[in-house]
Amino acid sequence: MIFRLALTTLFLFSNVNFAQQPATSSQTILDALQQKAELTKNSLVKNVVFENIGPTVMSGRVTDLAVNPENPNEFYVGYASGGVWHTTNNGTTFVPILDTSETQNVGDIAVDWNTRTIWVGTGENNSSRSSYAGIGVLKSTDNGTTWENMGLEDSHHIGRILINPKNPDEVIVGVTGHLYSANQERGIYKTTNGGKTWSQKLFIDEMSGIIDLQTNPNNFNLMFASSWTKDRKAWNFDGSGTNSAIFKSTDAGNTWTKVSTENSGFPTGQGVGRIGLAVYDDTIVYAVHDNQSRRPSEEKKETSNILSKEDFKTMSAQAFLSLEDDKLNAYLKTNGFQEKYRSDNVKQMVRSGNVKPVDLANYLEDANSMMIDTPVIGTEVYKSTDGGMTWKKTHDTYLDDIYYSYGYYFGHIYVAPNNADNVYIYGVPIVKSKDGGKTFTSISAENVHADHHALWINPKNPDHLINGNDGGVNITYDDGDNWIKNNSASVGQFYAINVDNEEPYNVYGGLQDNGVWMGANNAREDNGWQQSGQYPWKSIMGGDGMQIQIDNRDHDVVYTGFQFGNYFRLNLKTDEQTYIQPKHELGENPYRFNWQTPILLSPHNQDILYLGGNKLMRSMNRGNDWAAISEDLTNGGKKGNVAYGTISSISESPLQFGLLYTGSDDGLIHVTKNSGGDWKNISNTLPKSLWVSRLVASQHKKERVYATLNGYRWDNFKVYVYMSDDYGSTWKDISSNIPASPVNVIKEDPENENVLYLGTDNGAYVSFNQGQTWEIFSKGLPNVAIHDIVVQPKAKHLLLGTHGRSIYKTNIAPLQLMNDNLNANTTTLFDIENIRHSSRWGSSWSSWFEAYEPKIDVAFYSNVSEEKMIKIYSEKGALLNEMNTKADKGFNYTVYDLTITEKGRKALLKENTSLDITKAKNDKYYLAKGTYSIKIGSESTQFEVE
């Protein structure tokens, strides 16, 4: 479950000034997309095929649903960063239809079912830390085969799209706007010509956009919209403001009137947060509100015999020393104080003046734990029975445990089309009311993921619901009593991935709100597991899954965890879990931990583990004990309600123990050459205040280090990639020709020091010359955010951890051989893997199944685009088969199915009379066991059929 973020203020002090950086212009983004298209067209690696290896069962965050009202077996699902998927069989299978577009980031979808026109508002509107910006409004009239950008490119995030059911060219769009910066392209926009032109019908201000927009299903002229004032920064999120309000239109969105006025009964003022709307008819309207106003102080509760942290905030030293030892020890143990802090020695610390009683409260109030405090009113439901002119809260008590402390992430309400009293809201759980919002009951279930974002109610059968949440899609036919899970789409949102050295090797990954999973890299991603009952991937940790380190001596020992530095040492064989988060000393300032806290096993000693807070922590005994080996390696934090001023990346040189680099979320990079004996700031010449997304100490040259910076949290999408050959004393910009998009990761090839891999928020790249120029990957790979990159050295596999489309894999053996000779030769053939012969080639075990047909990939490099002839020869030189292929300049891959011609068969039998080559059941001849060669021009390579 996502971490419970409260809008309480944490005081993280810093003297550093963080000026608002300029957001990247929409024209720059459009130019970058055009540049990317040209790069794709001419890329040397455009034929390198990526295979999606899943996993799928845990799915990813859904943002919207569009269901065919005449045939609810057909619907579309919008995933936050995984595109749009289409099903025609009630969610049994899905097909991605946004892959030909320039983004996978979805805020809202709308379909005109009469014309089959699909509109997609790009850019998720949930304002999460991983809610990626879009590129405007997209439109397709051929079910996603092609997409046209209809404008509003600087909107970044779209709240809602409405289509006039009687005129599909009339479309209203609620634009939420930028997430991390102010902008003008917010509010409500309308087109009457199918998106050719747009008119802004409502503008609030540069920090307030439209988060919801609803119409009466039977009267398109009547509309309600909710504006939302918010301000998100890397260190703080203010999710409410005076311009959060409800507006009404009676002329199909042409003009708007604010109806949540001071006398309306609906909250006004600074505490008004996100608002969701549901329109039943012209008079009955519901609103769900994330009220960020503080709750009134409760009367002092009856004195408890159990100590709480509040008790210590005003306690005198004398009162502290008078506490019963058992009572004090109970507090210390219950709240996870280190073993060394027990009643007798803590009292001695207070006596000596080294510690004050208040420190026992401060010990628990670090920059992360304070976020779970929830002093706000939270979830509220309001109802209007006069068309929005007046509002009344439907319930008398607090609706606790719906939003917890992050109502910004939810904010929708629904009313059944046949009964104005049947209302649904959601947050962490999904709940329903049958009495107009007076009381609610949960309809969550064990197979329904928490954190909900979309719901569809069948107008012809209101017991039929389709729900979208952080774990995909669920369907019920009995109003939530029982649910079906419909997760076959590969839409996992990975933060980090890693691999071990087993055969076959395993892949590990941490996902947004779906924990940490592991599975064999070659696990079949199909429905066969439903027969055995064993899904090939296994969940090994809950929460928001984070980084993973695997002990290379014993792959059953895994270090991983969830958000804000909550890490564990796992023994997968015995199912043991040991909590290993470092603790600060009593009386010290609490450590600050990033949402994606970095960890690293030393390549020199697998007992040594590093973990980044605001200081670099080191354990010499697998996380059992910790010591800080640095002072604060950040700018010291910043006042706000999000942990900030934290280490975001760690790297240790494989060539020298103790040569360590750290990068912080506020833009600092440090190096130590003596295991923390002293540290040097090496980022003074680099751009300021950017997130250090990755540091890589070279495995080829001790003095070399790579760094990537990320400006996403400023809406700055510029590319920042650097290389140093002198321990960071000087830096070289190697961003070169990469189109504008925030950079998340860089990876050095383990065999060829000139080869680098890189991932941005919308693509993956490779450089064959240490960053002088970059080539883009594209085949089988959508325009999705790449969060992590791993190379499995023995298998020569490149794996991409995407935040929206799970994990992709490709073989990079040919790419690792890139050198000047490849461009000098007309053609270069690469080694072909041997294949084991099978009598099943060309046959099937039943006439009702397709024949099994083998294949091998013929990989070659061409320095020119042209037709090429591929010929297959026997060991003695007989021509067995040949095929034409259209080669592009760069790396090429042609599939050879191991068949031979009739003439080739005769030649092969003539060479070796002991062979018996008969037609297979599919009427083809196949190679017998032996050695063969493949030739392109004068180039040749051999392989064996074993």
Side-chain angles (χ1 to χ4, degrees):
M1 198 175 292
I2 192 167
F3 196 83
R4 311 296 172 211
L5 171 63
L7 297 185
T8 49
T9 301
L10 310 182
F11 294 93
L12 310 177
F13 293 101
S14 172
N15 294 320
V16 180
N17 181 30
F18 290 82
Q20 175 71 49
Q21 299 189 24
T24 300
S25 71
S26 60
Q27 188 57 53
T28 299
I29 297 301
L30 292 176
D31 291 345
L33 294 175
Q34 181 60 40
Q35 179 191 354
K36 188 181 177 190
E38 289 298 315
L39 277 177
T40 302
K41 181 180 177 181
N42 300 309
S43 175
L44 297 178
V45 295
K46 66 181 179 182
N47 294 317
V48 176
V49 181
F50 280 84
E51 171 195 4
N52 190 291
I53 64 170
T56 62
V57 73
M58 74 292 295
S59 194
R61 185 163 69 246
V62 173
T63 52
D64 200 21
L65 300 161
V67 186
N68 187 339
E70 300 303 321
N71 176 20
N73 287 328
E74 179 186 18
F75 57 91
Y76 296 89
V77 184
Y79 292 89
S81 53
V84 175
W85 293 66
H86 181 216
T87 179
T88 57
N89 53 20
N90 202 34
T92 304
T93 58
F94 290 90
V95 175
I97 65 162
L98 200 64
D99 286 12
T100 58
S101 80
E102 295 163 321
T103 185
Q104 294 293 299
N105 305 329
V106 178
D108 193 64
I109 51 180
V111 179
D112 180 73
W113 294 99
N114 294 320
T115 62
R116 308 292 302 189
T117 301
I118 308 169
W119 294 79
V120 176
T122 65
E124 181 189 10
N125 61 17
N126 286 324
S127 300
S128 166
R129 51 179 47 82
S130 61
S131 293
Y132 291 109
I135 56 174
V137 179
L138 304 181
K139 177 182 176 181
S140 176
T141 57
D142 53 15
N143 203 42
T145 301
T146 59
W147 292 91
E148 183 179 1
N149 193 323
M150 306 310 298
L152 305 182
E153 294 93 346
D154 197 42
S155 57
H156 280 205
H157 302 273
I158 300 290
R160 187 71 70 192
I161 301 174
L162 299 179
I163 306 171
N164 188 338
K166 297 179 180 179
N167 178 8
D169 286 335
E170 184 177 359
V171 180
I172 320 293
V173 178
V175 176
T176 308
H178 289 195
L179 179 56
Y180 286 97
S181 59
N183 76 310
Q184 288 283 331
E185 198 164 89
R186 300 171 183 254
I188 293 178
Y189 287 81
K190 181 172 182 176
T191 179
T192 56
N193 54 18
K196 294 177 183 177
T197 58
W198 296 89
S199 175
Q200 189 180 53
K201 300 300 183 181
L202 178 64
F203 175 75
I204 313 299
D205 62 53
E206 290 187 342
M207 298 302 292
S208 306
I210 299 302
I211 191 62
D212 203 1
L213 174 65
Q214 299 292 337
T215 184
N216 180 348
N218 300 309
N219 179 9
F220 191 73
N221 285 321
L222 180 67
M223 295 180 182
F224 288 86
S226 55
S227 61
W228 185 22
T229 304
K230 59 177 172 50
D231 183 12
R232 180 152 205 157
K233 295 291 185 288
W235 57 88
N236 187 69
F237 185 24
D238 186 354
S240 64
T242 56
N243 279 341
S244 297
I246 301 174
F247 294 82
K248 179 180 180 180
S249 172
T250 56
D251 54 9
N254 287 312
T255 60
W256 293 86
T257 302
K258 183 178 178 180
V259 294
S260 59
T261 60
E262 287 188 11
N263 297 321
S264 69
F266 196 87
T268 59
Q270 186 61 39
V272 181
R274 179 171 175 170
I275 303 167
L277 301 166
V279 181
Y280 181 74
D281 57 22
D282 285 359
T283 58
I284 298 177
V285 186
Y286 285 94
V288 63
H289 174 222
D290 174 31
N291 194 329
Q292 287 294 300
S293 297
R294 297 310 188 247
R295 295 186 179 188
S297 299
E298 298 180 1
E299 293 183 11
K300 189 170 181 66
K301 295 181 180 179
E302 187 177 323
T303 304
S304 170
N305 194 43
I306 300 174
L307 291 168
S308 73
K309 66 179 182 181
E310 300 301 321
D311 295 324
F312 295 100
K313 291 183 177 180
T314 56
M315 187 179 291
S316 67
Q318 183 178 357
F320 180 86
L321 295 173
S322 300
L323 288 173
E324 297 175 15
D325 287 346
D326 289 346
K327 194 173 181 180
L328 180 55
N329 278 330
Y331 172 82
L332 296 170
K333 292 177 180 178
T334 302
N335 289 284
F337 281 71
Q338 299 176 63
E339 284 291 334
K340 61 183 178 182
Y341 297 131
R342 291 298 178 256
S343 177
D344 52 353
N345 62 319
V346 173
K347 286 184 176 180
Q348 181 57 42
M349 295 169 76
V350 172
R351 286 191 193 95
S352 64
N354 294 325
V355 167
K356 299 176 181 178
V358 69
D359 290 326
L360 276 79
N362 294 339
Y363 187 87
L364 304 179
E365 293 186 342
D366 62 27
N368 310 316
S369 64
M370 284 182 69
M371 294 179 185
I372 65 174
D373 292 338
T374 316
V376 299
I377 292 172
T379 317
E380 294 181 318
V381 174
Y382 286 83
K383 182 179 181 179
S384 173
T385 57
D386 56 7
M389 303 312 296
T390 61
W391 299 83
K392 184 178 180 181
K393 192 163 67 171
T394 64
H395 48 97
D396 297 325
T397 59
Y398 292 125
L399 292 177
D400 287 331
D401 301 334
I402 302 292
Y403 286 171
Y404 286 84
S405 52
Y406 58 111
Y408 68 87
Y409 193 55
F410 309 111
H412 290 142
I413 187 170
Y414 303 83
V415 58
N418 67 329
N419 190 329
D421 286 332
N422 291 1
V423 179
Y424 301 81
I425 63 172
Y426 49 57
V428 176
I430 179 170
V431 299
K432 68 181 178 183
S433 172
K434 296 298 184 180
D435 53 15
K438 293 178 182 177
T439 60
F440 288 88
T441 57
S442 172
I443 55 173
S444 298
E446 66 275 3
N447 66 334
V448 178
H449 197 288
D451 293 359
H452 301 265
H453 305 286
L455 186 71
W456 177 80
I457 306 170
N458 189 335
K460 297 180 179 180
N461 175 16
D463 286 341
H464 175 201
L465 312 175
I466 305 178
N467 169 238
N469 50 63
D470 269 14
V473 175
N474 290 89
I475 301 175
T476 178
Y477 288 94
D478 52 19
D479 201 24
D481 287 345
N482 300 279
W483 294 88
I484 306 166
K485 200 169 189 70
N486 299 80
N487 288 354
S488 61
S490 192
V491 289
Q493 295 178 292
F494 280 88
Y495 286 116
I497 61 172
N498 210 339
V499 295
D500 61 24
N501 296 313
E502 296 300 293
E503 293 188 14
Y505 68 87
N506 296 300
V507 183
Y508 304 73
L511 300 103
Q512 189 276 328
D513 209 11
N514 280 291
V516 181
W517 291 68
M518 64 169 289
N521 80 93
N522 59 351
R524 290 176 58 186
E525 188 58 53
D526 59 25
N527 292 327
W529 69 272
Q530 296 178 11
Q531 288 286 84
S532 66
Q534 182 62 54
Y535 188 66
W537 289 71
K538 177 184 178 183
S539 173
I540 61 174
M541 176 62 60
D544 284 77
M546 292 297 153
Q547 296 187 12
I548 311 100
Q549 292 286 291
I550 306 102
D551 192 321
N552 60 27
R553 305 163 301 185
D554 180 359
H555 76 281
D556 284 322
V557 177
V558 176
Y559 299 83
T560 190
F562 53 88
Q563 60 269 40
F564 294 124
N566 288 286
Y567 277 98
F568 297 79
R569 184 179 68 246
L570 309 181
N571 187 314
L572 301 181
K573 183 179 293 184
T574 64
D575 289 332
E576 291 177 272
Q577 286 191 0
T578 304
Y579 186 62
I580 59 169
Q581 186 186 64
K583 294 290 185 182
H584 58 284
E585 298 298 319
L586 189 59
E588 283 188 335
N589 289 328
Y591 296 141
R592 299 185 299 274
F593 295 106
N594 194 279
W595 173 265
Q596 298 180 54
T597 296
I599 57 170
L600 178 69
L601 276 173
S602 173
H604 305 280
N605 184 333
Q606 296 283 282
D607 285 336
I608 298 177
L609 180 67
Y610 301 101
L611 187 149
N614 52 307
K615 301 177 180 180
L616 183 63
M617 313 301 299
R618 184 180 67 188
S619 172
M620 304 297 287
N621 54 7
R622 308 192 311 155
N624 290 329
D625 302 291
W626 293 93
I629 60 170
S630 75
E631 294 301 318
D632 194 326
L633 295 175
T634 76
N635 280 312
K638 191 169 174 64
K639 181 180 178 181
N641 55 29
V642 179
Y644 186 70
T646 64
I647 293 174
S648 51
S649 186
I650 309 168
S651 187
E652 182 177 27
S653 170
L655 305 177
Q656 178 184 321
F657 175 71
L659 174 53
L660 291 156
Y661 297 89
T662 67
S664 67
D665 58 6
D666 55 7
L668 298 186
I669 301 176
H670 287 86
V671 63
T672 178
K673 299 177 184 178
N674 52 13
S675 297
D678 55 71
W679 291 86
K680 178 183 179 183
N681 183 347
I682 55 174
S683 52
N684 290 327
T685 61
L686 296 177
K688 307 301 181 189
S689 304
L690 298 173
W691 197 287
V692 180
S693 54
R694 199 62 54 109
L695 295 171
V696 176
S698 174
Q699 56 193 303
H700 299 293
K701 183 177 180 180
K702 187 172 67 171
E703 298 86 358
R704 182 173 297 158
V705 60
Y706 297 93
T708 61
L709 312 180
N710 186 307
Y712 159 75
R713 290 161 186 83
W714 298 99
D715 287 327
N716 171 5
F717 303 152
K718 189 174 180 317
V719 175
Y720 299 96
V721 190
Y722 301 92
M723 168 182 154
S724 173
D725 269 338
D726 54 12
Y727 303 104
S729 293
T730 60
W731 294 96
K732 176 184 178 183
D733 184 345
I734 58 170
S735 60
S736 183
N737 59 331
I738 302 173
S741 183
V743 180
N744 300 311
V745 57
I746 189 169
K747 187 74 176 179
E748 190 181 45
D749 188 87
E751 294 190 9
N752 187 334
E753 68 172 325
N754 294 315
V755 177
L756 302 171
Y757 309 99
L758 181 138
T760 73
D761 273 357
N762 74 343
Y765 299 81
V766 61
S767 174
F768 297 110
N769 49 25
Q770 291 186 353
Q772 294 179 43
T773 57
W774 295 87
E775 309 289 337
I776 187 170
F777 292 116
S778 60
K779 195 162 188 177
L781 192 65
N783 296 307
V784 66
I786 310 296
H787 261 229
D788 206 0
I789 296 176
V790 173
V791 175
Q792 214 297 332
K794 187 173 182 180
K796 299 181 183 298
H797 286 170
L798 177 72
L799 294 103
L800 307 178
T802 77
H803 200 80
R805 294 297 288 271
S806 294
I807 301 172
Y808 287 84
K809 177 180 74 173
T810 195
N811 188 301
I812 54 171
L815 278 60
Q816 293 177 318
L817 299 175
M818 184 64 168
N819 55 40
D820 292 338
N821 292 332
L822 265 65
N823 284 316
N825 299 331
T826 304
T827 305
T828 302
L829 262 169
F830 299 109
D831 290 342
I832 296 175
E833 290 187 12
N834 296 336
I835 188 169
R836 185 172 295 278
H837 186 273
S838 172
S839 59
R840 294 194 304 115
W841 290 355
S843 303
S844 67
W845 65 273
S846 167
S847 59
W848 300 105
F849 291 87
E850 293 183 0
Y852 168 65
E853 296 185 337
K855 63 180 182 179
I856 59 174
D857 287 325
V858 179
F860 63 95
Y861 186 91
S862 175
N863 68 3
V864 64
S865 297
E866 64 179 10
E867 292 276 342
K868 292 186 184 291
M869 178 69 75
I870 300 176
K871 297 183 177 182
I872 294 89
Y873 291 91
S874 69
E875 189 173 17
K876 296 182 179 179
L879 178 63
L880 305 179
N881 206 344
E882 60 185 12
M883 49 189 175
N884 274 312
T885 187
K886 183 179 179 181
D888 294 307
K889 182 178 180 181
F891 294 89
N892 294 269
Y893 302 82
T894 298
V895 174
Y896 171 45
D897 62 3
L898 300 178
T899 60
I900 57 178
T901 64
E902 179 72 46
K903 185 177 179 181
R905 171 181 174 270
K906 291 179 180 178
L908 195 55
L909 291 175
K910 186 176 181 180
E911 285 184 357
N912 188 346
T913 57
S914 66
L915 293 177
D916 180 20
I917 304 176
T918 58
K919 271 190 177 179
K921 289 183 179 181
N922 64 350
D923 209 31
K924 295 178 182 179
Y925 294 112
Y926 287 94
L927 293 176
K929 293 180 180 179
T931 301
Y932 302 93
S933 62
I934 290 182
K935 292 186 177 182
I936 302 178
S938 60
E939 289 288 307
S940 68
T941 187
Q942 286 190 333
F943 71 98
E944 285 190 29
V945 177
E946 300 171 333

